[in-house]
Amino acid sequence: MRKHKIAAMPGDGIGKEVIPAGLRVLEALAAREGFALDVAHFDWGSDHYKRTGRMMPEDGLDRLRPFDAIYFGAVGMPDVPDHVTLWGLRLAICQPFDQYANVRPTRILPGIVSPLAGVTAKDLDWVIVRENSEGEYAGQGGRSHKGLPEEIATEVSIFTRAGVTRIMRFAFELARSRPRKKLTVVTKSNAQRHGMVLWDEIAAETAKAYPDVAWDKELVDAMTVRMVRKPATLDTIVATNLHADILSDLAAALAGSIGIAPTANLNPERQFPSMFEPIHGSAFDIMGKGIANPVGTFWSGAMMLEHLGEGAAARRLMAAIERVLADARNHTPDLGGRADTATVTDAVVEAIRTGNV
């Protein structure tokens, strides 16, 4: 029997509710499709920080390295500074494991109505590729003269030819694999005249190797307008770490809710485990209420299964999600419904077990 080693890390907030829900769904799929999941649970996050002063143990990366994939919930709590939680856990995994391709698909699922009038699933079906290892989140910079009137803080964006080239190749390959074979490169080279100009130049150089992919370029501020006004003109999108972080939240909202949006943090060369997570964050305002939307976690699980070579199971899971969401009784409050996390999870598990998908 095929077996996959999964590191389950709920983290903070509603991550502790949606990751157990996701594991229930994945176990149902494993039983149906004939593979096994060897799941190890890691309680790292803000509670671990409060106990030990660290978001994860010093040997955390060594403990994660043998796994095939990481199933991650969320990070962030109101009583711990955000930069401590993010850099102490999520980025402390993404960067050393060189998960440089952050992939965020967005589409309007059955039963969900976009806030954009008249926009349907055929108009909004995107994949956003986010450079995930450098750029604005490279972590370069510092502070000096703290507390004094002349205090200085710098946050330095880093764009390397190696880093930009590999994400452009990844994005062009992804665009080539999709039916429309279309890529939009997001930039801000009119104002950022060094790193973003290099970004643009490498995009143009890379495009020469993909004559079958139609591509264009859009300034990030104009991109927000295009996403709202002309969603059907977009398909695959590549952007920097910061730009894609923001644009993908907008994309999720335009597709109905940030609660349904998934993420894959990929090391495409498979030298390290990749990590899969919903993009909604810890949502501590609703944690403990049992109303978190688990669909983003389920969809992230489908992306993880695809990465692990379980394509049939991934397709079955997506079919189950679509079948369940088509019934408005399974909509959580973020989608305007009254269903809770358990109701949606039970419905998806039942759809998988009964063979209705």
Side-chain angles (χ1 to χ4, degrees):
M1 178 180 287
R2 302 182 306 279
K3 182 179 287 189
H4 308 291
K5 294 186 64 176
I6 307 298
M9 197 179 305
D12 298 333
I14 62 171
K16 297 178 180 180
E17 301 167 45
V18 294
I19 288 298
L23 290 173
R24 275 193 62 204
V25 167
L26 292 175
E27 290 291 355
L29 278 164
R32 179 70 191 273
E33 296 289 339
F35 62 89
L37 296 176
D38 181 5
V39 180
H41 299 268
F42 295 85
D43 66 347
W44 305 342
S46 293
D47 289 341
H48 188 276
Y49 176 80
K50 293 172 187 176
R51 294 193 308 267
T52 68
R54 297 182 62 95
M55 292 292 291
M56 69 178 187
E58 191 170 355
D59 64 347
L61 293 175
D62 291 334
R63 291 166 64 178
L64 291 174
R65 200 180 306 271
F67 287 88
D68 299 313
I70 303 164
Y71 201 29
F72 186 82
V75 65
M77 288 295 286
D79 55 351
V80 181
D82 286 339
H83 68 280
V84 171
T85 58
L86 186 65
W87 281 96
L89 189 59
R90 185 185 174 279
L91 291 180
I93 296 170
C94 285
Q95 291 195 353
F97 281 168
D98 205 19
Q99 297 167 352
Y100 65 84
N102 179 285
V103 181
R104 298 186 168 189
T106 304
R107 59 186 174 93
I108 301 174
L109 299 174
I112 297 178
V113 178
S114 169
L116 299 176
V119 172
T120 64
K122 65 179 178 61
D123 304 307
L124 201 163
D125 183 356
W126 308 330
V127 179
I128 297 177
V129 176
R130 170 185 174 187
E131 200 292 315
N132 208 35
S133 67
E134 52 180 42
E136 304 89 348
Y137 297 172
Q140 300 297 307
R143 293 173 65 181
S144 61
H145 310 300
K146 287 186 179 181
L148 299 177
E150 61 271 25
E151 183 172 358
I152 299 170
T154 60
E155 198 75 45
V156 182
S157 297
I158 302 294
F159 295 92
T160 66
R161 175 165 287 276
V164 177
T165 297
R166 67 184 184 177
I167 201 63
M168 287 298 171
R169 287 176 179 164
F170 183 93
F172 272 96
E173 287 287 345
L174 181 59
R176 172 180 276 174
S177 73
R178 286 170 59 81
R180 295 179 65 188
K181 293 180 168 53
K182 178 178 175 58
L183 177 66
T184 298
V185 177
V186 178
T187 186
K188 192 58 181 170
S189 53
N190 59 340
Q192 296 176 285
R193 58 186 180 149
H194 303 299
M196 292 263 64
V197 171
L198 176 65
W199 174 272
D200 289 359
E201 290 173 354
I202 294 175
E205 292 169 9
T206 307
K208 295 175 183 177
Y210 298 88
D212 54 328
V213 176
W215 76 287
D216 62 0
K217 187 171 67 174
E218 195 76 78
L219 294 175
V220 64
D221 38 356
M223 186 64 171
T224 62
V225 178
R226 183 172 168 186
M227 290 168 69
V228 173
R229 299 295 299 273
K230 298 180 179 180
T233 68
L234 298 165
D235 188 80
T236 308
I237 300 160
V238 62
T240 69
N241 215 330
L242 173 63
H243 292 166
D245 191 10
I246 296 169
L247 292 176
S248 58
D249 280 13
L250 172 59
L254 297 178
S257 169
I258 199 170
I260 63 175
T263 299
N265 301 284
L266 300 177
N267 173 247
E269 293 76 19
R270 298 175 184 263
Q271 297 169 316
F272 305 99
S274 294
M275 183 163 66
F276 302 83
E277 59 176 323
I279 75 170
H280 52 56
S282 56
F284 42 80
D285 56 322
I286 62 168
M287 68 180 184
K289 297 181 180 180
I291 59 172
N293 191 335
V295 170
T297 303
F298 299 163
W299 194 346
S300 298
M303 298 180 76
M304 180 170 69
L305 291 172
E306 190 73 43
H307 179 74
L308 295 173
E310 300 292 349
R315 291 188 292 274
R316 187 180 297 278
L317 176 50
M318 289 309 300
I321 291 170
E322 293 181 6
R323 181 183 179 89
V324 167
L325 284 179
D327 185 344
R329 291 174 297 180
N330 294 317
H331 289 187
T332 43
D334 58 301
L335 294 172
R338 297 183 179 180
D340 56 20
T341 309
T343 297
V344 180
T345 305
D346 290 345
V348 172
V349 169
E350 182 65 15
I352 293 167
R353 286 178 176 168
T354 59
N356 290 330
V357 291

